[in-house]
Structure formats: structure tokens, C-alpha cells
Amino acid sequence: MSLNRNDGFFTAYYLNLKNTLKDFDLEVENIKHCNNDLERIGYLNRLSGLQEHDHALNVRRSYEGKNADVAADFKEKGNMAFKAKQWLEAMLLYSKSYIALPADKVLEKSIILANRSAALYHLDKYDEALIDVKRSLDYGYPKDMLYKLYERQAKCFLAKRNYPNSITYFKKFLTAMDDATLDEGRRSKMNLDAMTMMKMLEKDPQTAKQAEYQKKNGFTAESVPSLAIRDEKELLSPAVKFDENTNEGRFAKAAADINVAEEILIERPFVAVLLEKFSKTHCEHCFIRSPIPVTCPSCADVIYCSEKCLNRAAKSYHKYECGLLPTIWQSGASINCHMALRILASQDKDNLLKIAKNIDQKLSLEEILKLPKTNYLRVAHLVRHESTRTASNWFQHALMARFLSKCLQESGYLDEQCQSEDFVTITSLLLRTLQFLQFNTHEVAELHKSERDGSERTAFIGGALYPTLALFNHSCDPGVVRYFRGTTIHINTVKPIEAGLPISENYGPIYTQEMREERQAKLRDLYRFDCSCDACLENWPTFDMLPTDVIRFRCDAPNKCNAIIEISSACNDFMVKCVTCGEMTNIFKGLKVMQDTESMTRTAKHYYEAGEYSKALNKFIDLLKIMHEVLAPPFPDFCQCQQYLKDCLLHFGNFYNLN
């Protein structure tokens, strides 16, 4: 990912600096001769005239999104939509009103959340309505209107067929009616309706059974459902081990035979940042779509799916980013830059300053893997390609690091002196962080499906860093596929992997879609290495160019040669001589497999098109196992099965139906 976009003020700042500083080219060239990041930042800070340009960075906290008048306008529009029974429109407008309300408008928040709960009730979103009722009560909903919320809770539980809880809230409703400012006729009718419903529920045999079950399991009427994404337990298969050597660097390989579709890694991110365009639709912390959001009390720049995510973000990074996000976005800084800032904002400053003293001390792979998952050193030694960077690249990265430090300074994370030792040290760590993020960030994806034509595409919604996955090397014919649940990444194999062989993921270029020259050029430009996977060494054709009149069989000689035997589809011989080992191979078995898999493939595709992805996945797994025994890629049917398997797994992750 590039350092910044051209549409932000940082590019203008850099170009202005370039045009006004004396001997700019010479100054830039000199930074390359510094020995480490600390020296580079120290050198940058000493440049004559640099600080005079700081005003152009426009680093300031802004809370313009919080506005009581704007909130009132959204509320009024929401009320109009509600009266017109446009429940979804009303709910969305109430959310906008809630997000815009300043922190001190507590009573207004209680009312708007109560209104949103009413819209949710009409949308049959009973759990969500109950959560908003609880929030409204916590903000201190007016006593004379409490009966509305208790009645809504009773009706929600009734709709959920939770009769004991429904009775509980009908009772609270009756008590709250004493404080209601209603005319006597309406009050009497509402009371009578509630008592009638209570009597019916009390006579229902299910009520006693449910009450007994709830008592046994510790459930109460106050137990409110949660919309927060469940924390997934991390996993690293014992069949995966890591190694390193001069040619391959650090890499993953199989410690034992691994079957197709086996889940070998589940990992939460070291850091994850949502793209600005999704900041009002997805939870900032867990990336789950949040149509019924919780808002930050101070800023209106991001939303959360729940109080759980709000509190986690507030205790970690958001207390330093709050109000600064507009500055970061307007600067044009890439998501990598935002991730660099968040990594440091999430760390204890004093601990970072301590770590920085020995940051360049080499650590073995074994030492790194033993570090706690949250330790900065766990990621600080990821590949950075320092020796290949140009002077201009160093200078731009150092300037960006300094800008990010100015943001941390504005937030109170750093002191106000740009020349202070702490400022220079933290900026040097930001420079280091920008370097390793450039080569190790993963795009977090969400699968989008069009309801109109059924088409599907993968959307990039944010970026994240996964320290364990970052140790996997690339292949243009990867052995795994990745998908996301929130920000948690899941890694599954897409082919059997024998013990001792590398377990490779894919950094972008894949042989089925791009020619070798294109892939190699991209990998060299973006990741600075020459790929030597089988697809590159043997120059496999793209999927469209794969021959359909040639079948690639595996040699099944007793000596376990396993060489590839290419046979014309028109061949009538059942016994073929292997040119590698000289033994004869019976290809009748392979031809029989080809016939048998045709009907299995039709069944698997039928399941997929019907949306029965679990059944489809199992069929495609069986197909790949069968084909792998006798056939070898690149082979059209094998490639197609792999792609379907990947698509099935993607449906188990982040997913959204487009209207």
C-alpha cells in the first residue's frame, strides 16, 4: 500500500517543503547515510526551516460532528418517517440523531434511543429493541413516560415467546402507569389490556416450564442480549511449524500431513483499522456491520456495534484518536499510516521508550514466537527491506512518521516539544512501523452479494496486521485461503500438503489470473523478491489458457516416483511409461476418477447455487481429495474445485447482501 493519496494535504505539504527548503535534494540524499531510524528522525528534525512548515499539517482535534441542532433535525425527520410507518428509514434517522448528539445531551439520548427501539420493534428486531430500551433507561428516560418502555419490553418478550419475562414487564408497566400523564379513559383501557394479557400468559403451561428453566440457568428479566461479536479462540495447528534460512527467510511448513480444507490458523490482529468510507457503517473495533450503532460520547467520526467494543477502543487507542480522525483522513495518509499510529497509541509509552533502546538487537525466530501477542517486539522484527529503500523513500516515510507524532502530540500521548528525546524516539518507532507494515499488512475483506443479479465480489473494508500469518511465504499457487469474521482471520488449506513442504499463502498475484511476467513484476515492485514457486518455475498458464486436451496424471509406480505424466485426452492406452522412473502407470484409475467426478461436481455446484454452502463445501473437499490422488495441477477441473472451495469458505466470513 502506498504511503499517502494525492488528494490530501500531506502531499501538498511535502511538495511545498521540497520547493522551499535550501539544497533539498542534497538534504534528502544525506538521510540515506544515517545508520538507523533514530538517526534519521534526528537528522530530519534538525533540517533548517522544517518546523516553519508545521502549520501546513493542520493537526487539530475536531468534534464538529457533534451538533445538537443537527441531531434535532434528524430526530424530527425520524419522527415523520415513523408516523408514515417507514420503520427502517425512521431507525436510520434516529441513529444519525443519536450519533450527532453532544455528550451533555443525556436526556435527549434517552429519548432518541427509546424512539429507535420503537422502530426496531416494528421491524421485528426484538433483541435490538430490548438493547436500546436498556440504553434508554440507563440514560434516565423520563419517569412519566417509563410505561412506554416497559410495555415495549413486555411485547418484545411476548414476540420472542418468553412468557415469564413478558409478565414481569407487564407488571412494571402497570406500576409505571401511576406516573403517566394520560387521560383516564386511555389509562383504563391500557391497564385492562395489560392485565388481560398477563392472565392469559399465566394460564399457559409454557410459562411455568420456561420460568423453571430460567431459574435453573440463572436467567432473569434483566438479562439483555448482546450484539457484540463473540471473541473467537485463537488457533495454530500443531501441524504447522516455522523455520528460517537464507533463501526463504522465515516461513511456515507442514510438520505433518495436512488434509484439504483443514483450518490451520485462527488469529486476531495485532492492529486493525477500518477504511474511512466504512466508518459509519461498521464497528471501528471489530469491523462488524452495525446498523444499530453505539456512538463515542465525544466524536461522531466512528461507530461501535456494542458497549463492549466502545469500551475496548476507548481504553486502548480511541482516547488518542478521538477528534483526530478527520485530520488523519484529510491528510491523505494511507491506511498503513493510520495503522502505525494506532499500534503506538495502543502501547504504553514508557514501555515503548524502554524497548526502543535495544530495538535493533537481533532476535531469533524462537525468541520472537515466545513473546506475548501484544508485545511490540512481536512485530518490530518483521521484514522491512531497509537496504533497498531510496533516499526519497526514507525522507517521505520519515516526514509521515513526524506527522503521526504530531497527531500523538495533539492527543496528549506525547509532550509538546518536537525536539524532545521522547518525541524523537517515538517518531523513530513510527518510522520503523511504517516500514514493516508496508510488506506485512493484510486487507480485511467482506463478501458482497447483489440481490439483483446474484453476482459476488470481495470488498476491501480495512487493513490489519497478523504476526503469525506474516511469517507465511507467498506462492502463486497458494496452499491456503483466508477469510475474515470481523477482524479475526481464518486460514484453511485448499489442497493436501505433505509433511515437510512449505505452507504458502498468496500476496495478490495468482497464476490462474496473471501471466508469470506480470506476477513477477508485481511481486518485485511491491514485496521486493523473485518468486520461485512451482507455478513460476514451470511457467504454468493462466486458467483461460490451460489445455483441455491434456490430462496430468501422477506416476503411481511402487517406488513412489510421483512424477507428472501428461497424457492426451484422446489416448486409448491404459498403461503408460513414466519418463522419470521408467515404470509403467495404470491411468485407467485416473480416467475412471474423471468420469466419477462429473456427477459429483454437478451436485456440488447445485448446492452452491442454492446457497447450501456447507453441503457444497463437503462435496468440493471430497472432489479435491479424489482428484489429488491421481491428477496434478495445473488442471482445469482441479483449479475450478479449489475456487469453489474458497468461495464456500468466504460465505462463512464477513458477508453482506447488497440491495
Side-chain angles (χ1 to χ4, degrees):
M1 298 181 186
S2 61
L3 195 66
N4 58 280
R5 308 188 307 264
N6 291 325
D7 59 347
F9 64 72
F10 185 84
T11 296
Y13 161 76
Y14 169 76
L15 293 174
N16 187 43
L17 196 64
K18 183 177 180 180
N19 292 330
T20 56
L21 286 184
K22 294 180 180 179
D23 300 321
F24 181 82
D25 292 336
L26 178 62
E27 300 285 12
V28 168
E29 189 62 32
N30 286 338
I31 200 171
K32 189 175 181 181
H33 302 300
C34 296
N35 294 314
N36 54 48
D37 294 331
L38 196 61
E39 286 188 16
R40 292 178 186 105
I41 298 303
Y43 174 79
L44 180 71
N45 264 2
R46 291 191 298 273
L47 282 182
S48 176
L50 178 68
Q51 294 192 39
E52 282 79 353
H53 289 79
D54 281 351
H55 68 278
L57 292 175
N58 196 29
V59 177
R60 66 184 183 91
R61 285 193 164 190
S62 171
Y63 301 101
E64 295 173 1
K66 294 291 190 183
N67 186 299
D69 292 336
V70 171
D73 184 54
F74 279 130
K75 178 187 175 184
E76 180 59 31
K77 290 176 180 176
N79 289 342
M80 291 171 63
F82 190 91
K83 290 176 183 176
K85 297 184 179 181
Q86 297 172 341
W87 314 122
L88 180 60
E89 180 68 13
M91 186 270 288
L92 294 173
L93 287 165
Y94 288 144
S95 288
K96 289 181 178 180
S97 175
Y98 165 54
I99 291 169
L101 278 169
D104 60 342
K105 301 296 181 181
V106 178
L107 177 61
E108 289 85 346
K109 285 186 180 182
S110 73
I111 293 172
I112 205 68
L113 287 168
N115 289 1
R116 190 170 74 174
S117 75
L120 289 166
Y121 172 77
H122 286 289
L123 288 167
D124 299 334
K125 298 289 185 181
Y126 304 118
D127 283 343
E128 290 85 347
L130 287 168
I131 292 170
D132 263 2
V133 168
K134 173 67 165 56
R135 290 167 178 160
S136 178
L137 290 169
D138 289 343
Y139 276 115
Y141 193 67
K143 190 176 182 181
D144 63 322
M145 296 193 293
L146 275 176
Y147 71 92
K148 294 182 179 181
L149 296 189
Y150 291 140
E151 182 185 39
R152 192 163 302 135
Q153 285 173 304
K155 288 182 176 180
C156 283
F157 281 117
L158 182 63
K160 285 162 59 70
R161 297 184 182 277
N162 185 329
Y163 300 152
N165 284 7
S166 184
I167 291 171
T168 296
Y169 284 104
F170 272 127
K171 288 179 179 178
K172 288 191 174 188
F173 161 79
L174 290 172
T175 302
M177 285 293 282
D178 293 340
D179 298 307
T181 54
L182 297 170
D183 63 75
E184 195 57 38
R186 189 180 176 198
R187 183 196 303 269
S188 297
K189 184 181 185 308
M190 292 176 72
N191 283 341
L192 179 61
D193 289 344
M195 287 187 288
T196 302
M197 182 59 68
M198 284 171 58
K199 288 180 180 179
M200 289 176 59
L201 293 176
E202 286 167 351
K203 292 178 181 178
D204 194 309
Q206 288 297 319
T207 302
K209 291 180 181 179
Q210 290 177 2
E212 184 179 354
Y213 175 82
Q214 291 180 9
K215 183 178 180 181
K216 183 179 178 181
N217 291 276
F219 296 141
T220 67
E222 284 71 35
S223 299
V224 177
S226 174
L227 299 180
I229 188 171
R230 185 185 303 171
D231 290 333
E232 294 189 77
K233 188 176 181 179
E234 293 193 301
L235 165 100
L236 178 62
S237 169
V240 179
K241 68 177 181 179
F242 297 96
D243 204 348
E244 62 181 320
N245 59 44
T246 306
N247 293 328
E248 298 169 281
R250 300 163 186 156
F251 62 96
K253 66 180 183 181
D257 290 347
I258 303 176
N259 294 320
V260 64
E262 193 170 321
E263 191 157 56
I264 60 172
L265 178 66
I266 302 175
E267 186 173 19
R268 292 192 290 272
F270 188 87
V271 64
V273 169
L274 199 64
L275 284 173
E276 178 190 0
K277 68 180 292 188
F278 297 104
S279 62
K280 297 294 181 62
T281 56
H282 292 64
C283 174
E284 181 192 32
H285 192 70
C286 73
F287 287 19
I288 290 297
R289 277 190 177 266
S290 308
I292 309 150
V294 178
T295 183
C296 168
S298 301
C299 78
D301 302 317
V302 292
I303 62 169
Y304 299 94
C305 67
S306 61
E307 284 78 6
K308 178 182 177 182
C309 280
L310 168 65
N311 293 332
R312 285 182 172 181
K315 289 177 182 177
S316 179
Y317 53 85
H318 189 68
K319 60 186 173 184
Y320 298 115
E321 293 185 11
C322 188
L324 275 173
L325 290 172
T327 293
I328 296 169
W329 293 333
Q330 292 162 19
S331 73
S334 73
I335 197 165
N336 276 357
C337 301
H338 192 170
M339 287 170 64
L341 182 142
R342 185 167 292 183
I343 284 177
L344 268 69
S346 302
Q347 299 276 322
D348 177 73
K349 184 184 72 174
D350 292 335
N351 188 51
L352 280 178
L353 293 172
K354 183 179 178 181
I355 286 174
K357 295 176 181 178
N358 300 303
I359 194 67
D360 289 318
Q361 180 180 332
K362 298 294 183 183
L363 294 178
S364 69
L365 178 59
E366 184 180 4
E367 288 174 316
I368 291 171
L369 292 174
K370 286 181 179 178
L371 290 168
K373 280 293 188 72
T374 56
N375 192 315
Y376 178 74
L377 287 174
R378 184 69 188 265
V379 294
H381 294 277
L382 291 171
V383 65
R384 308 195 308 282
H385 292 300
E386 314 95 277
S387 62
T388 65
R389 294 183 182 275
T390 63
S392 176
N393 181 277
W394 277 120
F395 192 79
Q396 290 184 51
H397 275 72
L399 274 181
M400 177 56 73
R402 189 173 181 276
F403 163 64
L404 296 175
S405 282
K406 295 286 289 180
C407 291
L408 290 175
Q409 196 176 52
E410 176 72 11
S411 73
Y413 184 86
L414 281 172
D415 59 49
E416 297 180 359
Q417 298 300 315
C418 293
Q419 302 289 349
S420 73
E421 184 178 347
D422 286 1
F423 183 93
V424 173
T425 300
I426 292 298
T427 308
S428 73
L429 292 180
L430 279 164
L431 176 55
R432 185 186 191 96
T433 305
L434 287 170
Q435 294 171 58
F436 65 70
L437 284 173
Q438 180 180 352
F439 302 107
N440 295 282
T441 294
H442 278 83
E443 295 181 348
V444 180
E446 182 178 74
L447 185 63
H448 290 178
K449 182 173 183 178
S450 171
E451 291 185 348
R452 185 175 63 256
D453 59 13
S455 61
E456 296 177 345
R457 68 178 183 88
T458 299
F460 164 37
I461 63 172
L465 177 65
Y466 301 93
T468 305
L469 183 59
L471 300 176
F472 284 56
N473 275 352
H474 163 87
S475 172
C476 298
D477 175 36
V480 301
V481 63
R482 57 181 182 263
Y483 68 94
F484 300 87
R485 288 180 183 160
T487 58
T488 299
I489 197 166
H490 290 246
I491 305 297
N492 290 65
T493 55
V494 293
K495 60 184 177 183
I497 302 174
E498 294 179 18
L501 293 181
I503 308 172
S504 301
E505 70 144 331
N506 181 262
Y507 294 178
I510 195 163
Y511 87 88
T512 55
Q513 298 173 8
E514 296 179 272
M515 300 289 286
R516 178 174 65 179
E517 292 74 18
E518 297 172 343
R519 302 195 308 268
Q520 293 276 7
K522 283 185 178 179
L523 292 167
R524 207 172 290 121
D525 178 51
L526 295 174
Y527 298 100
R528 305 184 187 180
F529 71 87
D530 292 311
C531 185
S532 58
C533 69
D534 289 344
C536 285
L537 291 176
E538 299 174 18
N539 198 13
W540 291 359
T542 59
F543 182 80
D544 292 341
M545 300 298 291
L546 282 172
T548 56
D549 58 346
V550 174
I551 307 174
R552 290 164 57 88
F553 292 98
R554 297 183 190 276
C555 174
D556 67 351
N559 60 14
K560 296 184 179 179
C561 164
N562 238 9
I564 308 303
I565 304 173
E566 292 191 348
I567 303 296
S568 167
S569 58
C571 177
N572 294 318
D573 297 327
F574 288 156
M575 299 297 294
V576 178
K577 187 176 182 179
C578 174
V579 296
T580 302
C581 70
E583 296 288 334
M584 300 298 289
T585 286
N586 186 341
I587 65 169
F588 177 76
K589 176 184 175 183
L591 294 171
K592 181 68 166 61
V593 164
M594 294 292 293
Q595 291 178 340
D596 293 344
T597 55
E598 287 183 12
S599 61
M600 289 179 65
T601 301
R602 285 195 296 271
T603 302
K605 289 181 178 180
H606 171 75
Y607 282 139
Y608 184 88
E609 289 163 5
E612 298 184 68
Y613 301 114
S614 293
K615 290 182 178 180
L617 177 64
N618 289 331
K619 286 292 181 184
F620 286 120
I621 291 171
D622 290 340
L623 280 164
L624 285 172
K625 285 179 179 178
I626 292 169
M627 285 192 283
H628 187 267
E629 285 292 319
V630 294
L631 304 173
F635 188 72
D637 289 357
F638 192 86
C639 296
Q640 195 175 58
C641 270
Q642 277 189 321
Q643 187 58 52
Y644 269 109
L645 183 144
K646 294 175 184 178
D647 291 342
C648 285
L649 289 170
L650 288 175
H651 283 87
F652 301 149
N654 297 336
F655 182 82
Y656 181 61
N657 267 321
L658 300 171
N659 293 327

